[in-house]
Amino acid sequence: MTMLQTTSSTELFKSKIDNRTAQIGVVGLGYVGLPLVLLFSEQKFRITGFDIDQKKVEILSRGGSYIVRIPETDIQAAQERGFSATADYSHIAGMDAVIICVPTPLNDHHGPDLSFIERTAEAIAPHLQPGQLIVLESTTYPGTTEELLIPILEQKNPKGLKAARNGEAGSGEFYVVFSPEREDPGNDTVARRDIPKVVGGLNPTATELGSKLYGTIFNRTIPVSTPAAAEMTKLLENIYRCVNIALVNELKVLCLRMGINIWEVIEAASTKPFGFHPFYPGPGLGGHCIPIDPFYLSWKAKEYDFHTRFIELAGEVNLGMPYFVVQSTAAALNKQRKTLNGANVLVLGVAYKKDIDDLRESPSLTIIELLQKEGANVRYNDPYFAFVGRGRKYDLQMSNTPLEDLGQYDCVIIVTDHSDYDYEKIVRESKLVIDTRNATKKIQAENIVRC
Ligand SMILES: NC(=O)c1ccc[n+]([C@@H]2O[C@H](COP(=O)([O-])OP(=O)(O)OC[C@H]3O[C@@H](n4cnc5c(N)ncnc54)[C@H](O)[C@@H]3O)[C@@H](O)[C@H]2O)c1
C-alpha cells in the first residue's frame, strides 16, 4: 500500500517537471541563486525566489537587477513567466523542490562559517512537506548535508518528517540532494547549460529526482553515490585550481629572479597536446571560491587527524602574492630614487578578476591596505565599483578615481586586467606601470615592470 502511494508520488514529481507545473523555490538570490532562477524560468517553470535581504526582494519585485551581467529585461521576462521574490518562508510549503544557494564564507579563524546554511535550514523546517526535494548547492565540506542540514530539517519540522534514506519516500519523508554550483563568473566560453551538473542524493531516488529537475536546465547530469561525494567533487575542483595557481605563482617569482618570462613559458608549455593544463600567475587569489573552499576541507580533515599539506602550502604561497606585488612596487620606485612612503599610487581594478562586479576576497583590497600601511597615497579606478566601503576584512571608504591625468601618479599598478582599459594609453601616460597580469604583453616600454 505504502509502496504504491510513494511510487506514484515520485511519478507525480517527475510528471510535474515534464509538464512544468512543478513549483521550484530558490533560497539565496545572489550570484548563484539569481542566474539559477532565470535558467528555470527560461524553461517555463514558475519560480519563487527567497532571500532575507529585503532590499534585493524589493529590487526584483519591481523588475530590477543588482547584478551587472543580469539585465533588468531578464528579470522582467521571468516575472512574466511567473517569477516572484519574497522574504516570507511560509511559501516554502507550496514548493515541490527547494534549492539552497546561501553563502559559505570563512569565520575569523579561517574555519567554515555555516551559519547561513543553519539559519536557512531552520527557516525552511517549519514549512517542510512530505515528498519535497531539498537541494543544497552551497560549496561546503563533505558531510555538511548529512551532519548539519538534515538533522536541522528533521528536528525542527513540526510534522516529524524524516529524510528518505531507503529508496522511495514514505508519507512522512522528504528527499535530500547535494548538487554543487560550478559556475565561473565572467567566463563566457562555456554556456551554463553545457556545464554538467553533479547530483548526489541521500538515496538513489533522491538522485533520480534531482537529476530529473536539473536535466531541464543542464544538458548533462552526473549522478554520484552520496551527498558527501558531490560535496568533495566541488572541493577537488577548487583545490586543483588553488594548488596549480600557487605552483605558477611560485615559479613566477623564480622566473623573475632568473630573467625568464613565465607567461612565455606557460604559452609554450600549453602547446603540448596532452598532460598539461595552463594556469596563470597573478597578484593573489580572489573570489568567493578558490581562496575559501580549500580551507573547508582542511578544517574537516583535522577531525580525521589528517593534515592537508598541499592546501596549506598553496594557501601560504597564494596569500603571499599581494605582499610580493607591494615589494616589487617599492623596488621599482627605488630604482627611480623614490620611496613608497609618500608615493602617489593608482591601483587599476578592485574586482577580483576581469570584467566582473565582484570584489569578494579581491587581492586588490589587500594590496591597497598594504600600500597605505607603507605610507603611499593610494587611489583606485574600477569601472565596476563607484565606491568601496567596508567588507569582511577591510574598511577602505574610497571612491572611484577617473582614469585621467595619469602623469600625476608615481606609479600605476594593474591588479585587475579589465578588458575596457586602454593599456597602450595607460603605459604611454604613466611614469611607471606595475603589471601583475601580463595585461601589457603586446607593449614594449621601459616604464613597465612585470611582476
Ligand atoms: N559566486 C560564484 O561564482 C560561486 C560559484 C560556485 C559556487 N558558489 C557557492 O554558492 C554559494 C552562494 O554563493 P553566492 O556567490 O551566490 O553568494 P551571494 O552572497 O552572492 O548570495 C547569497 C544570497 O543568500 C542570501 N541569504 C543569506 N542568508 C539567507 C537566508 N537565511 N535565507 C535566504 N537568503 C539568504 C543573501 O542575502 C544573498 O542574496 C556559496 O556557497 C558559494 O561558495 C559561488
Side-chain angles (χ1 to χ4, degrees), residues 28 30-32 51-52 56 89 102 104 120 138-139 185 288 360:
Y31 290 96
V32 167
D51 206 294
I52 45 165
K56 285 187 177 165
Y89 267 95
V102 295
T104 44
T120 302
S138 306
T139 308
H288 190 21
R360 286 178 292 179

Side-chain angles (χ1 to χ4, degrees), residues 27-33 50-53 56 89 101-104 116 119-120 137-139 181-183 185 234 288-289 293 352 358 360:
V27 181
L29 302 173
Y31 290 96
V32 167
F50 297 82
D51 206 294
I52 45 165
D53 186 339
K56 285 187 177 165
Y89 267 95
C101 312
V102 295
T104 44
F116 295 92
R119 270 182 260 138
T120 302
E137 283 213 9
S138 306
T139 308
E181 167 55 52
R182 297 169 123 177
E183 200 209 7
K234 171 74 187 177
H288 190 21
C289 296
D293 303 345
Y352 78 83
D358 190 347
R360 286 178 292 179

Side-chain angles (χ1 to χ4, degrees), residues 104-114 139-142 144 231-232 234-243 246 284-303 306-320 361 392-393:
T104 44
L106 292 176
N107 60 28
D108 290 342
H109 308 289
H110 252 67
D113 175 0
L114 293 177
T139 308
T140 183
Y141 60 74
T144 308
E231 288 160 338
M232 190 67 170
K234 171 74 187 177
L235 290 185
L236 169 62
E237 291 165 11
N238 282 355
I239 291 164
Y240 170 78
R241 278 187 69 73
C242 179
V243 167
L285 291 184
H288 190 21
C289 296
I290 314 293
I292 290 181
D293 303 345
F295 292 106
Y296 267 67
L297 190 62
S298 301
W299 180 87
K300 185 67 179 173
K302 291 197 182 96
E303 199 180 303
F306 194 95
H307 194 55
T308 50
R309 286 174 294 166
F310 270 105
I311 295 175
E312 301 294 336
L313 180 60
E316 195 182 307
V317 172
N318 289 328
L319 283 173
E361 311 296 322
R392 205 167 61 84
K393 282 196 305 200

